[in-house]
Amino acid sequence: MKPDVSLDFKFTSSIEQVWHALTDSDTLAKWIWNNDFQPIVGHKFQFRAEPNEWWDGIVDCEVLEVEEPHKLSYTWTSAGETTTVTWTLTQVADGSTQLHLDQGGFSEETKARQGAIEGAKYAWTNMSAQLEKVLA
């Protein structure tokens, strides 16, 4: 199944540094949101953002796959929609890291409204800019 969101990012940091930023709860809070993440398959956790009039600020998640330092996958449930987020890390010959994001499983109703998918792309792109600052 083709993911609904597919994005690539490149960081000058090592694969170990990028993996740490994806899997350390305190570091995740600096570029996504506060959380109680643990890189353990089956662990249920939440991302907690500032609520607003349209959203309670909570994303419920469950870790699906951990292949240190190359792959991390978890569910992402928010506003009645459950998708799967998968991060794939590749060490590049120059020492940099290629980070690939796939997010899939949006409902047909959501796909019809395309705005949610575009919103996800926008949010992940902004978060990756924050990740770049955290890694610097």
Side-chain angles (χ1 to χ4, degrees), residues 3-83:
D4 300 304
V5 176
S6 188
L7 299 168
D8 286 295
F9 309 101
K10 188 172 180 179
F11 300 102
T12 57
S13 303
S14 71
I15 195 170
E16 292 82 11
Q17 290 168 310
V18 177
W19 179 260
H20 178 80
L22 290 174
T23 59
D24 177 73
S25 180
D26 293 337
T27 307
L28 271 172
K30 294 176 183 173
W31 68 276
I32 298 185
W33 296 305
N34 289 329
N35 64 87
D36 54 343
F37 176 82
Q38 292 179 28
I40 300 167
V41 173
H43 176 68
K44 291 179 170 56
F45 68 99
Q46 289 183 330
F47 283 110
R48 294 175 300 281
E50 194 65 39
N52 60 43
E53 61 185 286
W54 303 284
W55 180 52
D56 65 6
I58 296 172
V59 181
D60 290 304
C61 305
E62 181 177 347
V63 179
L64 301 174
E65 191 172 4
V66 179
E67 292 178 21
E68 183 177 351
H70 298 286
K71 190 172 185 181
L72 175 67
S73 182
Y74 44 82
T75 60
W76 181 279
T77 303
S78 180
E81 186 85 53
T82 298
T83 60

Coordinates of all heavy atoms in Angstrom, one line a residue, residues 3-83:
P3 N 2.0 4.9 0.8 CA 1.8 5.8 1.9 C 1.1 7.1 1.5 O 1.3 7.5 0.3 CB 3.1 6.1 2.5 CG 4.1 5.8 1.5 CD 3.5 4.7 0.6
D4 N 0.3 7.7 2.3 CA -0.4 8.9 2.0 C 0.6 10.1 2.1 O 0.5 11.1 1.4 CB -1.5 9.1 2.9 CG -2.5 8.0 2.8 OD1 -3.0 7.7 1.7 OD2 -2.8 7.4 3.9
V5 N 1.5 10.0 3.0 CA 2.6 11.0 3.2 C 3.9 10.3 3.1 O 4.2 9.3 3.7 CB 2.5 11.7 4.6 CG1 3.6 12.7 4.8 CG2 1.1 12.4 4.7
S6 N 4.8 10.9 2.2 CA 6.1 10.3 2.1 C 7.1 11.4 1.9 O 7.0 12.2 0.9 CB 6.1 9.4 0.8 OG 7.4 8.7 0.8
L7 N 8.0 11.6 2.9 CA 8.9 12.7 2.9 C 10.3 12.3 3.2 O 10.6 11.3 3.9 CB 8.5 13.7 4.0 CG 7.1 14.4 3.9 CD1 6.8 15.1 5.2 CD2 7.1 15.3 2.7
D8 N 11.3 13.0 2.6 CA 12.7 12.6 2.8 C 13.4 13.9 3.4 O 13.2 15.0 2.9 CB 13.4 12.2 1.5 CG 13.0 10.8 1.1 OD1 13.4 9.9 1.8 OD2 12.4 10.7 0.0
F9 N 14.3 13.6 4.4 CA 15.1 14.6 5.0 C 16.5 14.2 5.1 O 16.8 13.0 5.2 CB 14.6 14.9 6.4 CG 13.1 15.2 6.5 CD1 12.2 14.2 6.9 CD2 12.6 16.4 6.1 CE1 10.9 14.4 7.0 CE2 11.2 16.6 6.2 CZ 10.3 15.6 6.6
K10 N 17.5 15.1 5.0 CA 18.9 14.7 5.1 C 19.5 15.6 6.2 O 19.3 16.8 6.3 CB 19.6 14.9 3.8 CG 21.0 14.4 3.9 CD 21.7 14.4 2.5 CE 23.1 13.9 2.6 NZ 23.8 13.9 1.3
F11 N 20.2 14.9 7.1 CA 20.9 15.6 8.3 C 22.3 15.3 8.2 O 22.7 14.2 7.9 CB 20.2 15.2 9.6 CG 18.8 15.5 9.7 CD1 17.8 14.4 9.5 CD2 18.3 16.7 9.9 CE1 16.5 14.7 9.6 CE2 16.9 17.0 10.0 CZ 16.0 16.0 9.8
T12 N 23.2 16.3 8.6 CA 24.6 16.1 8.7 C 25.0 15.2 9.9 O 26.1 14.7 9.9 CB 25.4 17.4 8.7 OG1 24.9 18.2 9.9 CG2 25.1 18.2 7.4
S13 N 24.1 15.0 10.8 CA 24.3 14.2 12.0 C 24.5 12.7 11.7 O 23.9 12.3 10.7 CB 23.2 14.4 13.0 OG 23.1 15.8 13.3
S14 N 25.1 12.0 12.6 CA 25.3 10.5 12.4 C 23.9 9.8 12.6 O 23.0 10.4 13.2 CB 26.3 10.0 13.4 OG 25.7 10.0 14.7
I15 N 23.9 8.6 12.1 CA 22.6 7.8 12.2 C 22.3 7.6 13.7 O 21.1 7.6 14.1 CB 22.7 6.5 11.4 CG1 21.3 5.9 11.2 CG2 23.7 5.6 12.0 CD1 21.3 4.7 10.3
E16 N 23.3 7.4 14.5 CA 23.1 7.3 16.0 C 22.5 8.5 16.6 O 21.6 8.4 17.4 CB 24.4 6.9 16.7 CG 24.9 5.5 16.3 CD 25.7 5.5 15.0 OE1 26.1 6.6 14.5 OE2 26.0 4.4 14.5
Q17 N 22.9 9.7 16.2 CA 22.4 10.9 16.7 C 20.9 11.1 16.3 O 20.1 11.5 17.1 CB 23.2 12.1 16.3 CG 24.6 12.2 16.9 CD 25.5 13.2 16.2 OE1 25.6 13.2 15.0 NE2 26.1 14.1 17.0
V18 N 20.6 10.8 15.0 CA 19.2 10.9 14.5 C 18.3 9.9 15.2 O 17.2 10.2 15.7 CB 19.2 10.8 13.0 CG1 17.7 10.9 12.5 CG2 20.0 11.9 12.3
W19 N 18.8 8.7 15.4 CA 18.1 7.6 16.0 C 17.7 8.1 17.5 O 16.6 7.9 17.9 CB 18.8 6.3 16.1 CG 18.1 5.2 16.8 CD1 18.3 4.8 18.0 CD2 17.0 4.4 16.3 NE1 17.4 3.8 18.4 CE2 16.6 3.6 17.3 CE3 16.3 4.4 15.0 CZ2 15.6 2.6 17.1 CZ3 15.3 3.5 14.9 CH2 14.9 2.6 15.9
H20 N 18.7 8.6 18.2 CA 18.5 9.1 19.5 C 17.4 10.2 19.6 O 16.5 10.2 20.4 CB 19.8 9.7 20.1 CG 19.7 10.2 21.5 ND1 19.6 9.5 22.6 CD2 19.5 11.5 21.9 CE1 19.5 10.2 23.7 NE2 19.4 11.5 23.3
A21 N 17.4 11.1 18.6 CA 16.4 12.2 18.5 C 15.0 11.6 18.3 O 14.0 12.2 18.7 CB 16.8 13.2 17.4
L22 N 14.9 10.4 17.6 CA 13.6 9.8 17.3 C 13.1 8.9 18.5 O 11.9 8.6 18.6 CB 13.7 8.9 16.1 CG 13.9 9.5 14.7 CD1 14.2 8.5 13.7 CD2 12.7 10.4 14.4
T23 N 14.0 8.5 19.4 CA 13.7 7.5 20.4 C 13.9 7.9 21.8 O 13.5 7.2 22.7 CB 14.5 6.2 20.1 OG1 15.9 6.5 20.2 CG2 14.1 5.6 18.8
D24 N 14.5 9.1 22.0 CA 14.6 9.6 23.4 C 13.5 10.6 23.7 O 13.3 11.6 23.0 CB 16.0 10.3 23.5 CG 16.2 10.9 24.9 OD1 16.4 10.1 25.9 OD2 16.1 12.2 25.0
S25 N 12.7 10.2 24.8 CA 11.5 11.0 25.1 C 11.8 12.5 25.3 O 11.1 13.4 24.8 CB 10.9 10.4 26.3 OG 9.7 11.2 26.7
D26 N 12.9 12.8 26.0 CA 13.2 14.3 26.2 C 13.6 15.0 24.9 O 13.2 16.1 24.7 CB 14.3 14.4 27.3 CG 13.9 13.9 28.7 OD1 12.7 13.9 29.0 OD2 14.8 13.5 29.4
T27 N 14.3 14.3 24.1 CA 14.7 14.9 22.8 C 13.5 15.0 21.9 O 13.3 16.1 21.2 CB 15.8 14.1 22.2 OG1 16.9 13.9 23.1 CG2 16.4 14.8 20.9
L28 N 12.6 14.0 21.9 CA 11.4 14.1 21.1 C 10.6 15.3 21.5 O 10.0 16.0 20.6 CB 10.5 12.9 21.3 CG 10.8 11.7 20.4 CD1 10.0 10.5 20.9 CD2 10.4 12.0 18.9
A29 N 10.5 15.6 22.7 CA 9.7 16.7 23.2 C 10.2 18.1 22.7 O 9.5 19.0 22.6 CB 9.7 16.8 24.8
K30 N 11.5 18.1 22.3 CA 12.1 19.4 21.8 C 11.7 19.6 20.3 O 11.8 20.8 19.9 CB 13.6 19.3 21.9 CG 14.1 19.3 23.4 CD 15.6 19.2 23.5 CE 16.0 19.1 24.9 NZ 17.4 18.8 25.1
W31 N 11.3 18.6 19.6 CA 11.0 18.8 18.2 C 9.6 18.3 17.8 O 9.1 18.7 16.7 CB 12.1 18.3 17.3 CG 12.3 16.8 17.2 CD1 13.0 16.0 18.1 CD2 11.7 15.9 16.2 NE1 12.9 14.7 17.7 CE2 12.2 14.6 16.6 CE3 10.9 16.1 15.1 CZ2 11.8 13.5 15.8 CZ3 10.6 15.0 14.3 CH2 11.0 13.7 14.7
I32 N 9.0 17.5 18.6 CA 7.6 17.2 18.3 C 6.8 17.7 19.5 O 6.5 18.9 19.5 CB 7.3 15.6 18.1 CG1 8.1 15.1 16.9 CG2 5.8 15.4 17.9 CD1 7.9 13.6 16.6
W33 N 6.4 16.9 20.5 CA 5.6 17.4 21.6 C 6.0 16.6 22.8 O 6.7 15.5 22.7 CB 4.1 17.2 21.4 CG 3.6 18.0 20.3 CD1 3.7 19.4 20.1 CD2 2.8 17.6 19.2 NE1 3.0 19.8 19.0 CE2 2.4 18.7 18.4 CE3 2.3 16.3 18.8 CZ2 1.7 18.6 17.2 CZ3 1.6 16.2 17.6 CH2 1.3 17.3 16.9
N34 N 5.6 17.0 24.0 CA 5.8 16.3 25.2 C 5.2 14.9 25.0 O 4.2 14.7 24.3 CB 5.1 16.9 26.4 CG 5.8 18.2 26.8 OD1 7.0 18.3 26.7 ND2 5.1 19.1 27.4
N35 N 5.8 13.9 25.7 CA 5.5 12.5 25.4 C 6.0 11.6 26.5 O 6.8 12.0 27.3 CB 6.1 12.1 24.0 CG 7.6 12.0 24.1 OD1 8.2 11.1 24.5 ND2 8.2 13.2 23.7
D36 N 5.5 10.3 26.4 CA 6.0 9.3 27.3 C 6.5 8.1 26.5 O 6.2 6.9 26.8 CB 5.0 8.9 28.4 CG 3.6 8.5 27.8 OD1 3.4 8.8 26.6 OD2 2.8 7.8 28.5
F37 N 7.2 8.4 25.4 CA 7.6 7.4 24.5 C 8.7 6.5 25.1 O 9.6 7.0 25.8 CB 8.2 8.1 23.2 CG 8.8 7.1 22.2 CD1 8.0 6.4 21.3 CD2 10.2 6.9 22.2 CE1 8.5 5.5 20.4 CE2 10.7 6.0 21.3 CZ 9.9 5.3 20.4
Q38 N 8.7 5.2 24.7 CA 9.8 4.3 25.0 C 9.9 3.4 23.7 O 8.9 2.9 23.2 CB 9.5 3.4 26.2 CG 9.5 4.2 27.5 CD 9.2 3.2 28.6 OE1 9.4 2.0 28.6 NE2 8.6 3.7 29.7
P39 N 11.1 3.2 23.2 CA 11.3 2.4 22.0 C 11.2 0.9 22.3 O 12.1 0.1 22.1 CB 12.7 2.8 21.6 CG 13.4 3.1 22.8 CD 12.4 3.7 23.7
I40 N 10.0 0.5 22.7 CA 9.7 -0.9 23.0 C 8.4 -1.3 22.3 O 7.4 -0.7 22.4 CB 9.5 -1.1 24.6 CG1 10.7 -0.7 25.3 CG2 9.1 -2.5 24.9 CD1 10.5 -0.5 26.8
V41 N 8.5 -2.4 21.4 CA 7.4 -2.8 20.7 C 6.2 -3.1 21.7 O 6.4 -3.8 22.7 CB 7.7 -4.0 19.8 CG1 6.5 -4.6 19.2 CG2 8.7 -3.7 18.8
G42 N 5.0 -2.6 21.3 CA 3.9 -2.8 22.2 C 3.6 -1.7 23.2 O 2.6 -1.6 23.8
H43 N 4.6 -0.8 23.4 CA 4.5 0.3 24.4 C 3.5 1.3 23.8 O 3.6 1.8 22.7 CB 5.8 1.0 24.6 CG 5.7 2.2 25.5 ND1 5.4 2.1 26.8 CD2 5.9 3.5 25.2 CE1 5.4 3.3 27.4 NE2 5.7 4.2 26.4
K44 N 2.5 1.6 24.7 CA 1.5 2.7 24.3 C 1.9 4.0 24.9 O 2.4 4.0 26.1 CB 0.1 2.2 24.9 CG -0.5 1.0 24.1 CD -1.8 0.7 24.7 CE -2.6 -0.4 23.9 NZ -1.9 -1.6 23.6
F45 N 1.9 5.0 24.2 CA 2.3 6.3 24.6 C 1.5 7.4 24.0 O 0.7 7.2 23.1 CB 3.8 6.5 24.3 CG 4.2 6.7 22.9 CD1 4.4 7.9 22.3 CD2 4.3 5.5 22.1 CE1 4.7 8.0 21.0 CE2 4.6 5.7 20.7 CZ 4.8 6.9 20.2
Q46 N 1.7 8.7 24.5 CA 1.0 9.8 24.0 C 2.0 10.9 23.6 O 2.9 11.1 24.3 CB 0.0 10.4 25.0 CG -1.2 9.5 25.2 CD -2.2 10.2 26.2 OE1 -1.8 11.0 27.1 NE2 -3.5 9.9 26.0
F47 N 1.6 11.7 22.6 CA 2.2 13.0 22.3 C 1.2 13.9 22.8 O 0.0 13.8 22.6 CB 2.5 13.2 20.8 CG 3.7 12.6 20.3 CD1 3.6 11.5 19.4 CD2 5.0 13.0 20.7 CE1 4.7 10.9 18.9 CE2 6.1 12.4 20.2 CZ 5.9 11.3 19.3
R48 N 1.6 15.0 23.6 CA 0.7 15.9 24.2 C 1.1 17.4 23.7 O 2.1 17.9 24.1 CB 0.6 15.8 25.7 CG 0.1 14.5 26.1 CD 0.1 14.2 27.6 NE 1.5 14.3 28.2 CZ 2.4 13.2 28.1 NH1 2.0 12.1 27.5 NH2 3.6 13.3 28.6
A49 N 0.2 18.0 23.0 CA 0.4 19.3 22.5 C -0.6 20.3 23.2 O -1.5 19.8 23.9 CB 0.2 19.4 21.0
E50 N -0.5 21.5 23.0 CA -1.4 22.5 23.5 C -2.8 22.3 22.8 O -2.9 22.4 21.6 CB -0.9 23.9 23.2 CG -1.5 25.0 24.0 CD -1.3 24.9 25.5 OE1 -0.2 24.6 25.9 OE2 -2.3 25.2 26.2
P51 N -3.8 22.0 23.6 CA -5.1 21.9 23.0 C -5.6 23.2 22.4 O -5.2 24.3 22.8 CB -6.0 21.4 24.1 CG -5.3 21.6 25.4 CD -3.8 21.9 25.0
N52 N -6.5 23.1 21.4 CA -7.1 24.3 20.9 C -8.6 24.0 20.6 O -9.1 23.0 21.0 CB -6.4 24.8 19.6 CG -6.5 23.7 18.5 OD1 -7.5 23.1 18.2 ND2 -5.3 23.5 17.8
E53 N -9.3 24.9 20.0 CA -10.8 24.8 19.9 C -11.2 23.6 18.9 O -12.3 23.1 18.9 CB -11.4 26.1 19.4 CG -10.9 26.6 18.1 CD -11.5 27.9 17.7 OE1 -12.7 28.0 17.3 OE2 -10.7 28.9 17.8
W54 N -10.2 23.1 18.1 CA -10.5 22.1 17.1 C -9.9 20.7 17.5 O -10.3 19.7 16.9 CB -9.9 22.4 15.7 CG -10.4 23.7 15.2 CD1 -11.7 24.0 14.7 CD2 -9.7 24.9 15.2 NE1 -11.8 25.3 14.3 CE2 -10.6 25.9 14.6 CE3 -8.4 25.3 15.6 CZ2 -10.2 27.2 14.4 CZ3 -8.1 26.6 15.4 CH2 -8.9 27.6 14.8
W55 N -9.1 20.7 18.5 CA -8.3 19.5 18.8 C -7.9 19.4 20.3 O -7.5 20.5 20.9 CB -7.1 19.5 17.9 CG -6.2 18.3 18.1 CD1 -6.5 17.0 18.0 CD2 -4.7 18.3 18.3 NE1 -5.4 16.2 18.1 CE2 -4.3 17.0 18.3 CE3 -3.8 19.3 18.4 CZ2 -3.0 16.7 18.5 CZ3 -2.5 19.0 18.6 CH2 -2.1 17.7 18.6
D56 N -8.0 18.2 20.9 CA -7.7 18.1 22.3 C -6.2 18.1 22.6 O -5.8 18.1 23.8 CB -8.4 16.9 23.0 CG -7.9 15.6 22.4 OD1 -6.9 15.5 21.6 OD2 -8.4 14.5 22.7
G57 N -5.3 18.1 21.6 CA -3.9 18.1 21.8 C -3.3 16.8 22.1 O -2.1 16.7 22.4
I58 N -4.0 15.7 22.0 CA -3.5 14.4 22.4 C -3.4 13.5 21.1 O -4.4 13.4 20.4 CB -4.4 13.7 23.4 CG1 -4.3 14.5 24.7 CG2 -3.9 12.3 23.7 CD1 -5.2 14.1 25.8
V59 N -2.3 12.8 21.0 CA -2.1 11.8 20.0 C -1.8 10.5 20.7 O -0.8 10.4 21.4 CB -0.9 12.2 19.0 CG1 -0.8 11.1 17.9 CG2 -1.2 13.5 18.3
D60 N -2.6 9.5 20.5 CA -2.4 8.2 21.1 C -1.6 7.3 20.2 O -1.9 7.3 19.0 CB -3.7 7.5 21.5 CG -4.4 8.2 22.6 OD1 -3.8 8.3 23.7 OD2 -5.6 8.6 22.4
C61 N -0.6 6.7 20.7 CA 0.3 5.9 19.8 C 0.6 4.5 20.4 O 0.5 4.4 21.6 CB 1.6 6.7 19.6 SG 1.5 8.3 19.0
E62 N 1.1 3.6 19.6 CA 1.6 2.4 20.1 C 2.8 2.0 19.2 O 2.7 2.0 17.9 CB 0.6 1.2 20.0 CG 1.1 -0.1 20.5 CD 0.1 -1.2 20.5 OE1 -1.1 -0.9 20.4 OE2 0.5 -2.4 20.7
V63 N 3.9 1.6 19.8 CA 5.1 1.2 19.0 C 4.9 -0.1 18.3 O 4.5 -1.1 19.0 CB 6.4 1.2 20.0 CG1 7.6 0.7 19.2 CG2 6.6 2.5 20.7
L64 N 5.1 -0.1 17.0 CA 4.9 -1.3 16.2 C 6.2 -2.0 15.9 O 6.2 -3.3 15.8 CB 4.2 -1.0 14.9 CG 2.8 -0.3 15.1 CD1 2.3 0.1 13.7 CD2 1.8 -1.2 15.7
E65 N 7.3 -1.3 15.6 CA 8.5 -1.9 15.2 C 9.7 -1.0 15.6 O 9.6 0.2 15.5 CB 8.5 -1.9 13.6 CG 9.5 -2.7 13.0 CD 9.3 -2.8 11.5 OE1 8.3 -2.3 10.9 OE2 10.1 -3.5 10.8
V66 N 10.7 -1.7 16.1 CA 12.0 -1.0 16.5 C 13.1 -1.8 15.9 O 13.3 -2.9 16.4 CB 12.1 -0.9 18.0 CG1 13.4 -0.2 18.4 CG2 10.9 -0.1 18.6
E67 N 13.8 -1.3 15.0 CA 15.0 -1.9 14.4 C 16.2 -0.9 14.5 O 16.5 -0.2 13.5 CB 14.8 -2.3 13.0 CG 13.8 -3.4 12.8 CD 13.6 -3.8 11.3 OE1 14.5 -3.5 10.4 OE2 12.6 -4.4 11.0
E68 N 16.8 -0.8 15.7 CA 17.8 0.2 15.9 C 19.0 0.0 15.0 O 19.5 -1.2 15.0 CB 18.2 0.1 17.4 CG 19.2 1.2 17.8 CD 19.6 1.2 19.3 OE1 18.9 0.5 20.1 OE2 20.5 1.9 19.6
P69 N 19.6 1.0 14.4 CA 19.1 2.4 14.3 C 18.5 2.6 12.9 O 18.7 3.7 12.4 CB 20.5 3.1 14.4 CG 21.4 2.2 13.7 CD 21.0 0.8 13.9
H70 N 17.8 1.7 12.4 CA 17.4 1.9 11.0 C 15.9 2.1 10.8 O 15.5 2.6 9.7 CB 17.8 0.7 10.1 CG 19.3 0.5 10.1 ND1 20.1 1.4 9.3 CD2 20.1 -0.3 10.7 CE1 21.4 1.0 9.5 NE2 21.4 0.0 10.3
K71 N 15.0 1.6 11.7 CA 13.6 1.7 11.4 C 12.8 1.8 12.7 O 13.1 1.1 13.7 CB 13.1 0.5 10.6 CG 11.7 0.6 10.1 CD 11.4 -0.6 9.2 CE 10.0 -0.4 8.5 NZ 9.8 -1.6 7.6
L72 N 11.8 2.7 12.7 CA 10.9 2.9 13.9 C 9.5 3.1 13.3 O 9.4 3.9 12.4 CB 11.4 4.1 14.7 CG 10.5 4.5 15.9 CD1 10.5 3.4 16.9 CD2 10.9 5.8 16.4
S73 N 8.5 2.4 13.9 CA 7.2 2.6 13.4 C 6.2 2.6 14.6 O 6.4 1.8 15.5 CB 6.8 1.4 12.4 OG 5.5 1.5 11.9
Y74 N 5.2 3.5 14.5 CA 4.2 3.5 15.5 C 2.9 4.0 15.0 O 2.8 4.6 13.9 CB 4.6 4.4 16.7 CG 5.2 5.7 16.4 CD1 4.5 6.8 16.1 CD2 6.6 5.8 16.5 CE1 5.1 8.0 15.8 CE2 7.2 7.1 16.2 CZ 6.4 8.2 15.9 OH 7.0 9.4 15.6
T75 N 1.8 3.6 15.6 CA 0.5 4.1 15.3 C 0.4 5.6 15.7 O 1.1 6.0 16.6 CB -0.7 3.3 15.9 OG1 -0.6 3.4 17.3 CG2 -0.7 1.9 15.4
W76 N -0.5 6.3 15.1 CA -0.7 7.7 15.4 C -2.2 8.0 15.3 O -2.8 8.0 14.2 CB 0.0 8.6 14.3 CG -0.1 10.0 14.4 CD1 -1.1 10.8 14.0 CD2 0.9 10.9 14.9 NE1 -0.8 12.2 14.2 CE2 0.5 12.2 14.8 CE3 2.2 10.7 15.5 CZ2 1.2 13.3 15.2 CZ3 2.9 11.8 15.9 CH2 2.4 13.1 15.8
T77 N -2.9 8.0 16.5 CA -4.3 8.2 16.5 C -4.7 9.5 17.1 O -4.3 9.9 18.2 CB -4.9 7.1 17.4 OG1 -4.6 5.8 16.9 CG2 -6.5 7.2 17.4
S78 N -5.4 10.3 16.3 CA -5.8 11.7 16.6 C -7.0 12.1 15.9 O -7.1 11.8 14.7 CB -4.6 12.6 16.3 OG -5.0 13.9 16.7
A79 N -7.9 12.7 16.6 CA -9.1 13.3 15.9 C -9.9 12.2 15.2 O -10.4 12.4 14.1 CB -8.8 14.4 15.0
G80 N -9.9 11.0 15.8 CA -10.7 9.9 15.2 C -10.0 9.2 14.0 O -10.6 8.3 13.4
E81 N -8.8 9.5 13.7 CA -8.1 8.9 12.6 C -6.9 8.2 13.1 O -6.1 8.7 13.9 CB -7.6 10.0 11.7 CG -7.0 9.6 10.4 CD -8.0 9.3 9.3 OE1 -8.9 10.2 9.0 OE2 -8.0 8.2 8.7
T82 N -6.7 6.9 12.7 CA -5.5 6.1 13.1 C -4.7 5.9 11.8 O -5.2 5.3 10.8 CB -5.9 4.8 13.7 OG1 -6.6 5.1 14.9 CG2 -4.7 4.0 14.1
T83 N -3.4 6.3 11.9 CA -2.5 6.1 10.8 C -1.2 5.4 11.4 O -1.1 5.2 12.6 CB -2.1 7.4 10.1 OG1 -1.5 8.3 11.1 CG2 -3.3 8.1 9.5

